[in-house]
Amino acid sequence: IWFATWTALLRMDPAVGPSSLVRYDLDGLGDLGGGRDVDMAPDGTVWICAEGTLVQLDPASPRRPKQWEGGFEHIAVQPKPSGGYFVWATLDLSSGTSSPVWRYDSATRIWEPQPATGEVGEVASLPGTDVVDDAGNMWAFHSDRQPDPTYSLGYKRPDGSWVDVAAPNEGGASYVHRIRAFGQSNALMADASGRVWRFDGSSWEDLGIGGASNARQGIAGLDIDLKTGT
């Protein structure tokens, strides 16, 4: 498990427990403003999304972590079919249709702003912190970029093609709070009413309210134990 703090990145092996905790000091980068999201790339580097900055850390190297300016809330590493990977960085959906979306290419080592014309397949935001499944499909929100925008939910395949997935919940994609992707085109979804849904690649199953206290309340996060399915 990787998680970020104000000034460090921490790693722990759940099977071992607290004694396995390792700290990677990021003091040289200044105040990160609180870690928002962490993801690991195929090359072993760890990407950290924090308030005002994006950081790439190589745990196996003593070199200083790389850093880029940019205030984002979600980050996702998506493998490319030809090798290498993209890193997507977005704000939350609540930030509006003008939210910038940037993408890093491991081949060019360059961040580039992504189109925001309203064309199908353009990413407007990422719906959580674990949105890439085992097949490399990345779940995302799409916006038609109109003054009164309409949002849709779906996933972008590693080849760049887009698959639209109709949101089953009341309120549609705008009321989707979090997605946890896994398997091949599978996902758990938590909505603004406190309900949890499971997508099996073709249809949604209503798993009910995520706890009595969550009724009519938005769920901020969810996860799945892939060994037990719970």
Side-chain angles (χ1 to χ4, degrees), residues 12-229:
M12 188 184 76
D13 183 345
V16 177
S19 63
S20 66
L21 195 66
V22 177
R23 173 188 172 100
Y24 297 89
D25 197 356
L26 302 177
D27 283 337
L29 303 181
D31 189 352
L32 294 182
R36 303 290 183 85
D37 199 354
V38 178
D39 207 353
M40 176 169 280
D43 60 6
T45 60
V46 182
W47 290 80
I48 307 134
C49 175
E51 183 177 350
T53 189
L54 293 164
V55 177
Q56 182 192 29
L57 171 73
D58 184 352
S61 172
R63 291 180 298 178
R64 186 176 186 271
K66 297 178 181 178
Q67 183 180 25
W68 297 266
E69 292 185 1
F72 298 97
E73 296 183 37
H74 300 300
I75 195 169
V77 175
Q78 183 183 32
K80 298 193 297 183
S82 58
Y85 58 91
F86 292 126
V87 181
W88 296 80
T90 76
L91 291 174
D92 199 74
L93 185 65
S94 60
S95 299
T97 58
S98 61
S99 303
V101 176
W102 287 75
R103 190 182 71 180
Y104 173 88
D105 190 330
S106 66
T108 63
R109 301 181 181 180
I110 295 175
W111 284 97
E112 292 185 327
Q114 296 303 290
T117 64
E119 292 294 323
V120 173
E122 291 179 357
V123 173
S125 183
L126 300 175
T129 58
D130 296 290
V131 296
V132 179
D133 66 23
D134 298 333
N137 301 308
M138 184 183 75
W139 288 76
F141 292 115
H142 166 72
S143 168
D144 61 9
R145 299 286 174 175
Q146 297 300 312
D148 186 15
T150 298
Y151 294 101
S152 59
L153 178 69
Y155 57 86
K156 184 179 284 291
R157 295 190 179 109
D159 64 7
S161 59
W162 174 263
V163 177
D164 195 63
V165 179
N169 54 306
E170 180 182 354
S174 297
Y175 283 74
V176 172
H177 271 204
R178 289 292 179 265
I179 289 282
R180 168 57 162 99
F182 63 98
Q184 184 169 350
S185 308
N186 285 209
L188 289 178
M189 184 267 282
D191 66 21
S193 298
R195 303 198 77 84
V196 177
W197 304 76
R198 179 168 180 163
F199 187 72
D200 64 4
S202 60
S203 62
W204 292 98
E205 177 186 1
D206 184 355
L207 301 182
I209 298 294
S213 62
N214 286 319
R216 309 307 301 177
Q217 300 293 320
I219 296 176
L222 75 169
D223 207 342
I224 183 171
D225 185 334
L226 298 178
K227 292 183 179 180
T228 63

